[in-house]
Amino acid sequence: EIVLTQSPGTLSLSPGERATLSCRASQSVSSNYLAWYQQKPGQAPRLLIYGASSRATGIPDRFSGSGSGTDFTLTISRLEPEDFAVYYCQQYGYLITFGGGTKVEIK
Amino acid sequence: QITLKESGPMLVKPTQTLTLTCTFSGFSLRTNGVGVGWIRQPPRKALEWLGLIYWDDDKRYSPSLKSRLTITKDTSKKQVVLTMTNMDPADTATYYCVHRLGASFFDSWGQGALVIVSS
């Protein structure tokens, strides 16, 4: 099983700042089958990024994904008030696993 | 537009079997490559993948829960059913069903169904 470790657990930032979230895999993720989801309280997760760097339909370009192999990053270039949420990475190259999440909170 | 909705009991007793139904629209489980999966999330915890069923009846399960899970489909009713045996309070969670196309990500999610395991 591929274990995904997200860091930091919590990120305290102000609106307008840049957020950098990390997702590290215990072994290489095949074909960069890595996705990112955003989840707000009381809601189902929403797909943001797939294939490590492709934005899903309707996702603003302030969200970007990068990385390959075992190290992946989600970057939010300038935080908007609606971006404060929990973010999960997921690998779908071999079975499916999720990371433990990073909470982006208002400082 | 793809929609999915989970339904089932909100409360089950320890050792009982949980049966949840996912009713979907906007796609067909007869279409090559289409799959429906289940994911759960205990309160204030992370997401956990449970299993998947594909258009050709191929099934995949989480290795840690495989012995307790069964996923079936009724293509004509547009439903997928998750069965989990020997429920425990640790299985208390919101259970989501999701749409998947091929070996890819989950592009559509149901609203989730909260299941509480308690005597």
Side-chain angles (χ1 to χ4, degrees):
Chain A
E1 175 180 307
I2 297 178
V3 176
L4 299 179
T5 302
Q6 292 187 241
S7 62
T10 302
L11 203 48
S12 298
L13 295 168
S14 301
E17 290 193 294
R18 182 184 187 91
T20 303
L21 287 66
S22 172
C23 177
R24 180 161 291 177
S26 59
Q27 53 189 283
S28 185
V29 176
S30 60
S31 304
N32 286 340
Y33 283 164
L34 193 286
W36 291 91
Y37 298 85
Q38 176 194 67
Q39 186 179 34
K40 297 179 181 179
Q43 297 184 16
R46 175 176 74 144
L47 176 68
L48 296 176
I49 300 286
Y50 63 92
S53 61
S54 298
R55 269 188 303 276
T57 303
I59 301 303
D61 60 7
R62 64 179 181 273
F63 290 91
S64 63
S66 63
S68 63
T70 60
D71 287 296
F72 299 88
T73 301
L74 174 70
T75 302
I76 311 171
S77 59
R78 288 178 57 86
L79 282 164
E80 296 287 341
E82 62 268 26
D83 299 337
F84 292 91
V86 179
Y87 293 83
Y88 293 96
C89 59
Q90 174 215 6
Q91 68 81 23
Y92 49 95
Y94 173 70
L95 295 181
I96 291 161
T97 49
F98 288 92
T102 291
K103 181 179 182 180
V104 178
E105 65 175 22
I106 300 176
K107 187 174 182 179
Chain B
Q1 180 193 2
I2 291 174
T3 65
L4 307 104
K5 187 172 183 180
E6 308 85 353
S7 59
M10 189 174 200
L11 181 66
V12 297
K13 290 180 168 33
T15 74
Q16 285 187 336
T17 294
L18 170 69
T19 300
L20 288 175
T21 300
C22 175
T23 303
F24 58 86
S25 64
F27 67 94
S28 172
L29 254 179
R30 293 190 176 95
T31 302
N32 194 320
V34 171
V36 172
W38 288 94
I39 290 156
R40 71 177 179 180
Q41 184 174 37
R44 297 172 298 282
K45 293 190 176 179
L47 302 165
E48 179 183 21
W49 172 68
L50 302 179
L52 279 160
I53 188 166
Y54 290 97
W55 88 103
D56 60 356
D57 212 38
D58 187 23
K59 298 165 192 176
R60 296 283 185 267
Y61 296 107
S62 165
S64 62
L65 291 167
K66 185 175 183 177
S67 63
R68 299 174 53 204
L69 296 176
T70 303
I71 299 176
T72 59
K73 61 181 174 67
D74 187 326
T75 306
S76 58
K77 288 185 178 179
K78 288 183 164 284
Q79 291 181 332
V80 169
V81 175
L82 172 75
T83 302
M84 181 180 289
T85 60
N86 194 24
M87 294 291 284
D88 181 271
D91 296 313
T92 293
T94 296
Y95 287 73
Y96 295 99
C97 64
V98 293
H99 171 268
R100 190 186 201 200
L101 183 60
S104 69
F105 40 87
F106 301 133
D107 55 2
S108 297
W109 295 60
Q111 64 189 25
L114 175 63
V115 177
I116 299 169
V117 185
S118 174
S119 54

